[in-house]
């Protein structure tokens, strides 16, 4: 038996997120179905990140355990033949038996895109949140810098999460406009449930001038979800990359 | 009669370019049909740039002459109601009678996207050229700098063009990787037929190491189309913006 690390990209629009469910189509299910067809037996696929309904990925990671003679570099071709067009395995590599995609991740990078124009344009329909109100991107960038560092991010965690600790470290949080679209890039050692989308909702308030950039400090300190902004829509969010040692 | 400048975005995938043709669906035709429905008479729409089949736009400009009481800022809503989802008017503004969208443009900006990964991923299927071979982006950026300035770009002009002068000035040409996708941004006072796509084809040769970055100088000096690279595919190209005084 070999343990294989799969890296993958998907358009989350048509899926009820990563994790397998009854009565809903998920990405994990599609991967497991493709593995079943390729390897002729049921295979459990363990993902690094449980992306929500509608969230996209460019660098999701998952592992499978298989007994196969297919060389690692051919596995993406073989699995992609059984996958729909909106899920693509981009890399496969044998990893040590003790490798775990979630516990051994060093950092994760998410990108949230906001199309800030007067009308929704076709190029940004699928992967960006259309937000027509005028935004001060410079203030959003200033506010984002307060997130960097090791903090208790309880104020940025949706109810229903059962994690032991809400302390996480953010390494990078940048807000920049590129080709008419605002990109918010966030890199950290881990993220709480809906954390990126709540950060984006809070940065939007700052961009509108409803909050000052330095209010981010008191929101963090409050440890109170009600102090932060709304949860921004899923469609703007992409799990860009997961890094391992 | 009022002259109205329309700014628009479109996904060019389903159109045989901008210019109206017999037996092919074009963007100009769709705009004129929408104007016909809205203003109840035939209206000629004059575009700034004749984008080719499959080329996209975020900032195409065109003018129409109409006799209407609809306020400028409502015209996009009214026209968009008659347009398909892949063509969107983003701005409308009355301009002086002598305004011409092509002759009065100060500069145009094009962006060409190359997805340089091992497998095509859904996020870049529609608006980027999938190019799996490894590229030296730094060399492409070095080569791109030789294009800046006023040059005779005859070597970068497809046959079949009937322009009087092939001299153009390029103000900016940058090659940068963003979210795993190479973006080539070119700004100039005007562009010859297929010029951006031939520049991209030449930069790809440089990125592969088949040409040196400084070979761009001798290619320009040759005034010979055969010295430059192939014409890169239309789908990676977007007319990003047109600037007026």
């Amino acid at each position: 038996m070999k343990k294989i690390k799969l890296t993958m990209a998907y358009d989350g629009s048509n899926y009820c997120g990563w994790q397998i469910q009854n009565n809903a189509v998920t990405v994990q299910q599609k991967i497991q179905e493709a593995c079943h067809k390729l390897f002729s037996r049921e295979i459990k696929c363990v993902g690094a990140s449980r992306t929500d309904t509608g969230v996209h990925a460019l660098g999701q990671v998952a592992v499978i355990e298989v007994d196969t003679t297919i060389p690692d570099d051919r596995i993406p071709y073989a699995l992609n033949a059984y996958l729909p067009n909106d899920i693509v395995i981009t890399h496969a590599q044998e990893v040590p038996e003790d490798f775990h995609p979630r516990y051994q991740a060093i950092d994760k990078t998410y990108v949230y895109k906001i199309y800030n124009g007067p009308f929704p344009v076709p190029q940004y329909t699928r992967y960006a949140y259309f937000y027509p109100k005028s935004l001060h991107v410079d203030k959003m960038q200033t506010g984002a810098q307060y997130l960097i560092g090791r903090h208790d991010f309880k104020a940025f965690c949706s109810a229903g999460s059962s994690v032991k600790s809400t302390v996480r470290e953010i390494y990078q949080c940048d807000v920049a406009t590129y080709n008419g679209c605002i990109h918010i890039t966030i890199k950290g050692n881990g993220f709480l449930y809906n954390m990126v989308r709540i950060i984006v909702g809070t940065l939007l308030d700052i961009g509108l001038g409803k909050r000052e950039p330095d209010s981010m400090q008191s929101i963090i300190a409050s440890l109170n979800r009600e102090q932060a902004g709304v949860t921004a829509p899923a469609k703007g969010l992409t799990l860009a990359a997961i890094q391992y040692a």
Side-chain angles (χ1 to χ4, degrees), chain A residues 184-205:
Chain A
I184 302 174
T185 306
I186 310 185
K187 187 176 184 170
N189 67 353
F191 292 90
L192 304 169
Y193 183 47
N194 282 345
M195 179 167 154
V196 177
R197 291 164 59 189
I198 299 168
I199 286 174
V200 171
T202 311
L203 288 172
L204 282 169
D205 286 345

Side-chain angles (χ1 to χ4, degrees), chain A residues 56-95:
Chain A
H56 315 289
L58 282 170
Q60 169 75 296
V61 170
V63 293
I64 52 172
E65 284 185 85
V66 287
D67 189 10
T68 181
T69 55
I70 304 174
D72 291 359
D73 65 345
R74 305 313 295 173
I75 287 176
Y77 294 93
L79 278 177
N80 288 337
Y82 292 111
L83 282 166
N85 284 336
D86 51 8
I87 303 176
V88 175
I89 307 295
T90 56
H91 190 251
Q93 182 197 349
E94 188 173 354
V95 284

Side-chain angles (χ1 to χ4, degrees), chain A residues 86-119:
Chain A
D86 51 8
I87 303 176
V88 175
I89 307 295
T90 56
H91 190 251
Q93 182 197 349
E94 188 173 354
V95 284
E97 214 182 305
D98 65 353
F99 178 86
H100 192 286
R102 188 153 62 245
Y103 306 138
Q104 271 155 285
I106 293 174
D107 60 56
K108 292 181 185 176
T109 305
Y110 283 91
V111 175
Y112 195 97
K113 292 187 192 173
I114 299 164
Y115 179 65
N116 188 219
F119 294 90

